[in-house]
């Protein structure tokens, strides 16, 4: 699973100094991304051979990690959207998250495209064991997730934004603009756009 910045802080918030042997026997977790909590997380995981921290990944490397993963664990607190969820589902992978994950849960259907559990180590560990033990369940959930996000893409977003913005509609709503003028859209953002590194910056830059 992937951790960085806030995600890393929330992982630490949820787990605290819990024993690393809650992981499925023989299982591995691979955390991609970076952030201020990485050192604390590495200390919690010290000595456990099944926990790896990959650091910041290129798009190609991230896609490969999704492809190789059995499932994706994403446990933020009140995330605004949760691009990781979309990425994981697009890669046909079940997602494990928590009831207080915010926007992530809008894409989730518990027991259908993954699990939405209580925000504690026991609930997360139990769900991880369930997913780890059942390849058929993972496959079914992965396909359901892919279907859930199939309509989420840039072309669809642009079509949605431009829908109903034909010349006649625009002219009626903005009589001061000359005939044939193209409508202009304003995107209001509360964080610095550049340099573009990840998350909302990538989405806004693409838009």
């Amino acid at each position: 699973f992937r951790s960085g910045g806030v995600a890393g802080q929330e992982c630490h918030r949820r787990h605290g100094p819990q024993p690393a042997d809650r992981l499925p026997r023989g299982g591995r977790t691979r955390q991609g991304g970076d952030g201020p909590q990485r050192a604390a997380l590495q200390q919690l995981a010290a000595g456990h051979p099944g926990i790896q921290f990959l650091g910041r990944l290129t798009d190609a490397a991230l896609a490969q990690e999704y492809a190789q993963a059995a499932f994706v664990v994403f446990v933020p607190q009140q995330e605004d959207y949760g691009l990781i969820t979309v990425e994981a589902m697009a890669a046909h992978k079940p997602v494990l998250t928590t009831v207080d994950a915010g926007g992530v849960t809008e894409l989730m259907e518990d027991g259908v495209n993954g699990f939405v559990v209580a925000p504690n180590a026991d609930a997360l560990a139990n769900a991880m064991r369930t997913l780890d033990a059942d390849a058929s369940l993972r496959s079914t959930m992965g396909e359901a997730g892919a279907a859930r996000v199939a309509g989420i893409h840039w072309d669809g977003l642009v079509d949605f934004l431009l829908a109903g913005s034909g010349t006649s509609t625009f002219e009626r709503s903005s009589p001061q603009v000359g005939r044939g003028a193209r409508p202009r859209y304003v995107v209001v953002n509360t964080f610095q756009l550049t340099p573009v590194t990840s998350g909302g910056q990538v989405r806004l830059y693409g838009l």
Side-chain angles (χ1 to χ4, degrees):
F1 58 96
R2 183 175 167 189
S3 167
V6 173
Q9 294 174 24
E10 295 312 319
C11 189
H12 184 268
R13 175 184 72 83
R14 296 175 192 286
H15 293 287
Q18 299 288 344
D21 61 5
R22 292 176 183 270
L23 292 174
R25 185 175 301 275
R28 295 184 305 150
T29 67
R30 293 167 64 81
Q31 296 197 56
D34 209 344
Q37 292 296 312
R38 179 175 175 178
L41 290 168
Q42 287 180 307
Q43 185 175 3
L44 285 173
H48 195 294
I51 301 177
Q52 296 177 280
F53 292 84
L54 308 177
R56 189 172 296 280
L57 300 171
T58 65
D59 288 346
L62 180 58
Q64 185 175 19
E65 291 296 328
Y66 279 126
Q68 294 175 347
F71 55 90
V72 175
V73 182
F74 184 37
V75 289
Q77 184 181 33
Q78 299 303 328
E79 176 76 12
D80 58 348
Y81 179 59
L83 184 60
I84 292 171
T85 312
V86 179
E87 293 174 339
M89 290 183 178
H92 297 245
K93 303 300 177 180
V95 175
L96 170 57
T97 191
T98 51
V99 295
D100 62 350
V104 176
T105 60
E106 296 178 13
L107 296 165
M108 295 292 301
E109 189 173 353
D110 184 40
V112 176
N113 51 19
F115 289 120
V116 183
V117 302
N120 61 65
D122 285 333
L124 286 165
N126 288 337
M128 289 175 71
R129 293 189 187 102
T130 298
L131 287 167
D132 180 67
D134 196 333
S136 178
L137 177 65
R138 295 197 304 269
S139 177
T140 299
M141 287 184 164
E143 292 304 315
R148 176 66 179 85
V149 300
I152 301 177
H153 46 74
W154 283 115
D155 288 342
L157 175 60
V158 171
D159 289 343
F160 174 79
L161 291 175
L162 296 180
S165 63
T167 302
S168 59
T169 302
F170 184 69
E171 287 175 350
R172 286 197 301 270
S173 62
S174 305
Q176 74 278 12
V177 179
R179 181 175 296 278
R182 298 176 60 187
R184 295 184 179 183
Y185 296 90
V186 176
V187 178
V188 179
N189 178 46
T190 58
F191 53 83
Q192 181 175 319
L193 179 58
T194 56
V196 178
T197 56
S198 62
Q201 291 175 318
V202 174
R203 293 195 293 274
L204 280 177
Y205 189 78
L207 178 63

